[in-house]
């Protein structure tokens, strides 16, 4: 079955001219220019050329077009002048509003949700990612069949003289979409179960899991690469990476930990994506420690922090989960702003200032993360036979060996480790 979304994607030509529109209703803490710049960045992420950015003040949203009739006329004139083939609304549009605007503007119209879904559809690389994106697309598109599929007014007749008009084509296609969504959910449930088995195995190991979270383009993948020596895609681009990546790292006092790089968050993240990416985001929910990477050089850094915290709350991350804020892109700050950021960070024990590009502050971040993870560790004195190499290796792997002294055929170890590891050592 060809979905309406797949038909729509044909209209997204790379390099197509687009106008970005912000219906400003005076809500929220974000600056209008910053919102327009972010949406233009999202459009750039799918290769669209933004030729104009317009903010309209909307006091009372219109049910038919969201913006006023005069604003629609003004926008239509701008579309003709720029020869734009696409208008991107930095807002959520109802199917009726989208259809009416396309009719009035005589060009394709998409809203913020549709734009983000388009990016995710282009970037998803793994089988799981493609399943998640397809489910989100179908959920979003199901209510827009009346707009996208002009052929759906046909009806399929029944059989014989008593068959009646039968179901309309649009009803049949909606049923097909529902069936496909049900199959996708079953496949994603299996992915979630498999991921849960892997997670249980890691917890039995037990290796602490550290998840990098943050706003899109905050520098998570760059920091991930520096900490792990990996080459995960990291570009100055919104949603440069989507699929989660896990790597093993070593920390002071912790021989092995798992570092997870997750999809970047964004303001007003579509609910379809939050639901579809639940299996992926479960890695964040179950993490032992979160590192919230923030672009401290961005003018809306504080608003971005609030957006990330809102998404974390939405997916079920407990407020008690230990976390650090890594104030990234220190290298982009002017001297006065840099001094202010360093002073603010010095007054907080949950903040580290870093530059993932240059490596500045990363060693300090590593030390503080290790200290946070080992905060509940206690010191134990353990006696082993001098020939017990396996036991000695276990202590080095699961704890921090502070000292070791030989006493004849016995070696006395002074070890700092978690209580659960000590109990496991005694029972082995």
């Amino acid at each position: 079955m060809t979905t309406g979304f797949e038909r729509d994607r044909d209209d997204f030509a790379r390099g197509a001219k687009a106008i970005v529109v912000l219906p400003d209703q005076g809500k929220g803490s974000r600056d209008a220019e910053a919102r327009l710049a972010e949406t233009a960045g999202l459009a750039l992420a799918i290769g669209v050329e933004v030729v104009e950015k317009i903010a309209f003040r909307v006091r009372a949203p219109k049910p038919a077009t969201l913006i006023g009739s005069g604003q629609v006329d003004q926008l239509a004139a701008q579309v003709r002048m720029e020869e734009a083939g696409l208008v991107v609304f930095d807002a959520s549009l109802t199917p009726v509003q989208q259809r009416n605007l396309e009719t009035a503007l005589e060009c394709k119209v998409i809203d913020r949700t549709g734009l983000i879904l388009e990016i995710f559809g282009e970037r998803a690389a793994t089988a799981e990612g493609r399943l998640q994106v397809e489910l989100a697309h179908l959920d979003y598109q199901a209510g827009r069949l009346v707009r996208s599929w002009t052929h759906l007014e046909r009806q399929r007749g029944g059989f014989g003289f008593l068959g009646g008009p039968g179901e309309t084509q649009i009803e049949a296609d909606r049923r097909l979409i529902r069936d496909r969504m049900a199959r996708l959910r079953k496949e994603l449930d299996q992915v979630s179960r498999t991921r849960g088995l892997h997670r249980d195995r890691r917890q039995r190991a037990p290796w602490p899991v550290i998840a990098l979270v943050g706003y899109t383009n905050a520098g998570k993948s760059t920091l991930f690469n520096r900490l792990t020596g990996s080459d995960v895609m990291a570009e100055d681009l919104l949603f440069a990476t989507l699929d989660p990546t896990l790597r093993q790292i070593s920390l002071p006092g912790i021989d092995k930990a798992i570092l997870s790089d997750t999809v970047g968050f964004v303001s007003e993240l579509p609910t379809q994506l939050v639901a579809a990416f639940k299996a992926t985001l479960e890695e964040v929910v179950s993490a032992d420690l979160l590192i919230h990477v923030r672009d401290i050089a961005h003018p809306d850094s504080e608003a971005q922090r609030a957006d990330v915290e809102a998404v974390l709350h939405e997916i079920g991350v407990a407020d008690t989960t230990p976390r650090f804020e890594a104030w990234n892109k220190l290298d982009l700050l002017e001297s006065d702003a840099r001094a202010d950021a360093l002073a603010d960070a010095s007054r907080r024990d949950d903040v580290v200032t870093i530059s993932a590009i240059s490596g500045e502050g990363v060693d300090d971040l590593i030390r503080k993360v290790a200290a946070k993870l080992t905060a509940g560790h206690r010191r134990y004195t353990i006696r082993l036979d001098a020939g017990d190499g396996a036991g000695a290796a276990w202590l080095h792997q699961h704890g921090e060996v502070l000292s070791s002294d030989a006493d004849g055929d016995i070696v006395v170890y002074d070890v700092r480790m978690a209580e659960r590891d000590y109990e496991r050592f005694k029972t082995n």
Side-chain angles (χ1 to χ4, degrees):
M1 181 186 70
T2 301
T3 68
F5 172 74
E6 288 167 343
R7 294 171 184 266
D8 287 346
R9 289 195 67 175
D10 295 337
D11 296 333
F12 278 91
R14 301 194 73 83
K17 293 182 178 180
I19 295 176
V20 173
V21 177
L22 171 64
D24 187 2
Q25 301 180 45
K27 299 177 181 178
S29 58
R30 288 178 175 270
D31 178 70
E33 285 298 322
R35 280 297 298 262
L36 283 170
E38 178 178 287
T39 306
L42 291 170
L44 178 64
I46 56 170
V48 171
E49 178 190 357
V50 177
V51 294
E52 186 61 80
K53 294 177 287 186
I54 304 173
F56 287 125
R57 181 67 174 173
V58 178
R59 292 182 175 82
K62 301 298 187 289
T65 56
L66 182 60
I67 59 178
S69 57
Q71 294 168 333
V72 172
D73 293 339
Q74 180 183 343
L75 182 56
Q78 193 72 34
V79 168
R80 289 192 297 271
M81 184 176 70
E82 300 289 352
E83 297 181 347
L86 175 67
V87 173
V88 180
F89 271 74
D90 186 16
S92 294
L93 297 175
T94 66
V96 171
Q97 289 171 341
Q98 198 166 2
R99 183 182 69 244
N100 291 341
L101 285 167
E102 287 188 338
T103 301
L105 302 177
E106 298 182 346
C107 72
K108 182 173 178 59
V109 174
I110 62 172
D111 61 4
R112 184 179 179 85
T113 298
L115 179 60
I116 294 175
L117 288 173
E118 173 69 20
I119 298 171
F120 273 58
E122 185 175 284
R123 299 287 174 76
T126 65
E128 177 187 358
R130 287 191 291 270
L131 285 174
Q132 291 167 324
V133 170
E134 184 182 356
L135 177 59
H137 282 194
L138 291 173
D139 187 19
Y140 173 74
Q141 199 67 28
R144 286 170 160 73
L145 295 182
V146 65
R147 176 187 69 83
S148 300
W149 297 13
T150 56
H151 67 291
L152 297 183
E153 296 175 356
R154 299 193 307 268
Q155 288 187 332
R156 300 187 307 182
F159 296 99
F161 294 104
L162 301 179
E167 64 179 346
T168 62
Q169 184 66 46
I170 194 170
E171 290 168 346
D173 285 321
R174 279 179 176 151
R175 174 171 49 78
L176 289 173
I177 284 181
R178 287 195 299 270
D179 292 344
R180 176 61 178 162
M181 289 175 66
R183 289 193 296 270
L184 287 173
R185 287 193 177 99
K186 286 183 180 179
E187 292 183 54
L188 285 172
D189 284 343
Q190 180 59 45
V191 170
S192 182
R193 285 193 293 271
T194 301
R195 192 182 293 276
L197 292 174
H198 293 167
R199 187 162 50 250
D200 291 343
R201 191 178 302 127
R202 288 198 302 272
Q203 290 174 345
R204 287 195 300 269
W207 301 315
V209 176
I210 306 163
L212 298 178
V213 299
Y215 209 80
T216 182
N217 205 32
K220 295 181 302 302
S221 295
T222 303
L223 178 60
F224 182 86
N225 289 339
R226 180 166 289 277
L227 292 174
T228 64
S230 301
D231 56 354
V232 170
M233 178 184 176
E235 295 185 10
D236 185 16
L237 194 67
L238 298 177
F239 294 121
T241 51
L242 294 183
D243 298 294
T245 308
L246 286 79
R247 294 288 188 274
Q248 173 184 332
I249 62 171
S250 296
L251 298 170
I254 302 174
D255 183 69
K256 183 175 182 179
I258 303 298
L259 185 66
S260 172
D261 183 22
T262 60
V263 61
F265 299 155
V266 71
S267 64
E268 300 176 24
L269 190 67
T271 55
Q272 293 95 337
L273 280 176
V274 174
F277 276 74
K278 185 175 183 296
T280 297
L281 296 173
E282 282 173 354
E283 295 294 339
V284 177
V285 177
S286 63
D288 297 284
L289 177 69
L290 300 182
I291 300 179
H292 180 175
V293 182
R294 289 178 55 186
D295 179 357
I296 199 62
H298 196 283
D300 266 349
S301 181
E302 192 60 35
Q304 290 180 352
R305 184 201 65 79
D307 290 331
V308 171
E309 291 295 336
V311 175
L312 291 176
H313 179 75
E314 185 176 354
I315 65 177
V317 174
D319 293 336
T320 56
T321 301
R323 65 191 72 190
F324 273 108
E325 286 189 7
W327 290 3
N328 190 28
K329 304 191 181 182
L330 198 60
D331 53 297
L332 298 182
L333 291 176
E334 299 292 338
S335 57
D336 290 345
R338 175 188 171 90
D340 290 342
L342 292 173
D344 290 343
S346 66
R347 291 189 287 269
R348 296 176 53 179
D349 57 6
D350 62 338
V351 171
V352 182
T353 54
I354 67 168
S355 169
I357 286 287
S358 68
E360 180 183 1
V362 172
D363 289 341
D364 187 32
L365 174 65
I366 291 173
R367 286 192 296 271
K368 289 192 174 184
V369 166
K372 192 78 168 181
L373 290 173
T374 58
H377 290 196
R378 299 173 55 188
R379 294 181 65 163
Y380 299 94
T381 299
I382 298 175
R383 302 168 64 86
L384 292 179
D385 292 336
D388 190 357
W394 200 97
L395 293 178
H396 281 280
Q397 183 176 1
H398 294 85
E400 181 184 5
V401 177
L402 304 175
S403 66
S404 60
D405 295 309
D407 183 10
D409 294 335
I410 299 296
V411 180
V412 180
Y413 293 90
D414 186 17
V415 184
R416 181 185 289 117
M417 65 172 61
E419 183 177 357
R420 62 178 180 178
D421 287 337
Y422 180 66
E423 294 300 326
R424 288 177 60 221
F425 178 79
K426 290 197 304 181
T427 58
N428 286 344

